[in-house]
Amino acid sequence: MTALARFLFGRRARLRWIHLILGGALAMPYVLVGSVVVGPVAGDADVFRSLSLQLASFAFGLPLAAVTSLFPLTRPLESGVVRWLCGVAADRLAYGPARTKGEKGRTAAWFTLHLGAGGIIAGMSLAVPPFAAALIALPFVPALRDDRAGLPGVLHHAWALALAPVAGAAMLVALASCAAGCGALLARWAPALLGPSPEDRVAAAEARAADLAVRNRLARELHDSVGHALSAVTLQASAARRLLDTDPEFAREALAAIEDTTRRTVGELDAVLGVLRDGDAPGTAPAPTLAADLDGLLRRTRAGGLRVTATVATDPRALPPLVSREAYRIVQEGLSNALRHGGGQVTVALRVEVLDDQLRITVENPLGEAGEAGEAGGAGGAGGTRAPRPGGGHGLRGIADRARLLGGAAQAGGAGGTWRLHVRLPLRATG
């Protein structure tokens, strides 16, 4: 019973009733135009004293409404009203002008339906409540039973007087039911008639996919650059603190590496934030590449105490720019992974070479106590047996994403006490 009362008289039902009455108000000019045509055809009869002529004028005006619905602002205005009064979700409606024939046809059908149903409900809302109120008050107000009141003669009977309040209340409930039913039907049909076309949905999906791709790319850039910097600076600061008294020269080198690392990271962060703000970052620091920045990356990593043996069996300057940039980030994340899990007490072997038109990057280091195997599950690696580290796996997933976007592949896993990251990046597809 509560649900039925809410359906008939709840806030949503009242708003949809208002929407229908607005449709009736919009239909009035078309009805007046129809009466101008129907009146002379009917022999100059008073159209507004004949229900049949009023209905004929109404029927004549609806096609005119369908034609005027081709006005460009019709769909945006109707969609906005439907959203606020009918409770239809915003993403199920289209807010641009109807351009194709199909969109214009659906808009015309909706406008005609809105004005048609609204005209009927508005007419009932004007006529039914006064008559229902008169029936409810009839047994209690003798003046209403006067012949001059114009009520049907049957209402003078005692049984009719007893049932009159019930009939009046039933009429009000019937009116509310008609309004609620029409409002619910319009709310149900609105997405089909005012919603985006299949082409609009495809375009919106492509825009969302493009936006998601940009967000993922920026997230990878932030994770790789800032994450590596924090890992390196932490180890460099720890090494400088431990050796400040016994090896001041090493401490100075570590502090210099911290300064260099943070300065470069600030520049990279500014570039990424520039893309977020403006969609482009003119004048900001260029993205690091394997050709220009590998030596600096190795130098800063070693300053933290991590022992790195690097074998570069190809000329990085001959690599395509895109491959060189992504390869730098992959090497950076591989070294960061070793820093996080092995600290400064392990030796990392890095090898970069070109085989079969593919750039191959291999990073190997002994497994630490925590073990990178915990992250292997996040990147599709094999061989890990330890439980995943909480929050881990973003870096290896980023490596896998970078390789996949270039048409390559990445493998990561631990076996025999050694953690191995191997990445293949094709050169021809991106050259």
Side-chain angles (χ1 to χ4, degrees), residues 238-279:
S238 177
R241 179 181 56 80
R242 291 196 311 268
L243 301 176
L244 181 61
D245 296 329
T246 60
D247 192 349
E249 183 62 28
F250 179 84
R252 281 193 292 270
E253 291 178 2
L255 291 174
I258 290 175
E259 180 184 4
D260 184 36
T261 300
T262 53
R263 182 183 298 113
R264 291 181 57 86
T265 304
V266 168
E268 294 178 18
L269 183 61
D270 183 60
V272 173
L273 294 179
V275 175
L276 282 173
R277 286 190 298 264
D278 308 320

Side-chain angles (χ1 to χ4, degrees), residues 141-153:
V141 182
L144 293 176
R145 299 194 291 272
D146 193 295
D147 291 339
R148 291 173 296 179
L151 294 176

Side-chain angles (χ1 to χ4, degrees), residues 7-194:
F7 175 75
L8 295 179
F9 304 105
R11 179 177 181 275
R12 181 58 63 197
R14 296 196 302 271
L15 290 176
R16 289 175 177 174
W17 200 336
I18 293 173
H19 177 252
L20 288 166
I21 292 175
L22 288 177
L26 290 174
M28 285 304 299
Y30 302 100
V31 174
L32 292 176
V33 173
S35 67
V36 173
V37 176
V38 170
V41 172
D44 292 329
D46 189 348
V47 173
F48 295 101
R49 288 186 176 273
S50 170
L51 178 61
S52 60
L53 292 181
Q54 291 182 39
L55 293 177
S57 301
F58 187 64
F60 185 86
L62 287 181
L64 297 179
V67 173
T68 57
S69 69
L70 301 178
F71 186 67
L73 289 179
T74 300
R75 188 167 75 161
L77 292 175
E78 285 287 326
S79 295
V81 173
V82 167
R83 175 186 175 185
W84 291 109
L85 295 182
C86 293
V88 179
D91 58 352
R92 302 184 65 191
L93 300 170
Y95 299 93
R99 292 184 174 86
T100 66
K101 290 183 178 180
E103 292 175 350
K104 293 178 179 179
R106 290 193 297 273
T107 302
W110 167 262
F111 195 64
T112 304
L113 181 65
H114 181 200
L115 269 60
I120 294 173
I121 296 298
M124 293 174 60
S125 299
L126 290 174
V128 171
F131 186 67
L135 290 179
I136 294 173
L138 189 62
F140 313 104
V141 182
L144 293 176
R145 299 194 291 272
D146 193 295
D147 291 339
R148 291 173 296 179
L151 294 176
V154 68
L155 294 177
H156 295 286
H157 297 284
W159 62 268
L161 290 176
L163 293 178
V166 178
M171 293 178 66
L172 293 178
V173 173
L175 173 61
S177 300
C178 291
C182 288
L185 287 176
L186 287 182
R188 183 176 181 179
W189 292 336
L193 298 177
L194 292 178

